[in-house]
Amino acid sequence: MSEPAPHRLPGDPPLTAEIARILRVDHAGEFGATRIYEGQLDVLGRSRAAGAIREMAEAEKRHFARLETLLRERRVRPTLLHPLWSVAGYALGAATALLGERAAMACTVAVEEVIDEHYQWQAERLGDDDAALRAELLSFRDDEIAHRDVAIAEGAEKAPVYDLISVAVKTGSRIAIWLSTRF
Ligand SMILES: [Fe+2]
Ligand SMILES: [Fe+2]
């Protein structure tokens, strides 16, 4: 789903509406990420990978807290699907962790690759219309790329059924993004 991300054009929705959608989906995504890592930690909290997972979980909590503030400041409502992402995120984290540390890391790689593209796309859409927000999203993106690299270093690509996990998690993440942008 790497559609081109043209900068805003005449006839596009007003900037405030577009920013509301951006913040809503990002708030949902960062919340989902915190839940994925919570699910992973409940299964792998005493494993060799626990330290790495805990660090990533802390970053997602920071991202989510920042988006909570942005939503409040800009009076944007959260997605109606928030309760669903709590359950789905946790289930995804716990289920992949039950397959083993490498499968959990494969899940992380897949999620972070989708989020990397997603933040990049949003940053291009925003252009200079809200340069401060764009800079924040790009700094989150840097963190997500670092998480992907950690997960690869932790052996993600050696997970059994890596390709299957990758395709399933990426598809699920894209559906979640699509839904959270609209609802
Ligand atoms: Fe994040
Ligand atoms: Fe992340």
Side-chain angles (χ1 to χ4, degrees):
M1 234 168 29
S2 49
E3 14 179 330
H7 185 50
R8 294 167 46 73
L9 297 170
D12 280 352
L15 183 62
T16 44
E18 176 133 16
I19 288 177
R21 276 206 298 270
I22 284 175
L23 292 176
R24 182 174 303 124
V25 65
D26 292 353
H27 178 261
E30 294 296 348
F31 174 64
T34 66
R35 295 294 290 157
I36 289 171
Y37 288 118
E38 280 170 40
Q40 288 187 355
L41 280 171
D42 279 352
V43 176
L44 296 172
R46 270 184 285 249
S47 70
R48 191 193 47 81
I53 298 173
R54 215 161 267 130
E55 269 184 44
M56 296 192 277
E58 288 306 314
E60 306 305 355
K61 281 185 202 159
R62 280 199 308 277
H63 295 169
F64 178 58
R66 180 60 189 142
L67 279 153
E68 288 259 270
T69 303
L70 285 166
L71 246 66
R72 223 178 306 118
E73 283 175 358
R74 303 198 187 207
R75 299 173 196 284
V76 174
R77 68 160 176 82
T79 170
L80 302 170
L81 300 169
H82 198 78
L84 176 60
W85 303 144
S86 178
V87 177
Y90 184 89
L92 177 63
T96 51
L98 285 168
L99 295 174
E101 285 177 35
R102 286 172 173 170
M105 294 298 165
C107 169
T108 296
V109 170
V111 170
E112 302 293 16
E113 282 183 356
V114 171
I115 301 306
D116 164 14
E117 283 171 23
H118 169 78
Y119 276 137
Q120 178 66 32
W121 191 90
Q122 288 185 336
E124 285 172 30
R125 283 293 289 179
L126 281 171
D128 290 329
D129 290 339
D130 191 330
L133 179 59
R134 183 188 56 191
E136 276 203 274
L137 299 185
L138 287 174
S139 87
F140 292 171
R141 174 174 176 253
D142 289 342
D143 293 340
E144 313 303 6
I145 292 171
H147 296 165
R148 180 205 59 197
D149 292 346
V150 166
I152 290 173
E154 293 283 335
E157 289 163 334
K158 295 186 203 99
V161 294
Y162 176 79
D163 291 335
L164 181 64
I165 294 172
S166 181
V167 169
V169 173
K170 283 187 175 185
T171 304
S173 301
R174 287 179 175 134
I175 291 170
I177 287 172
W178 192 91
L179 288 168
S180 300
T181 303
R182 284 156 187 83
F183 302 102

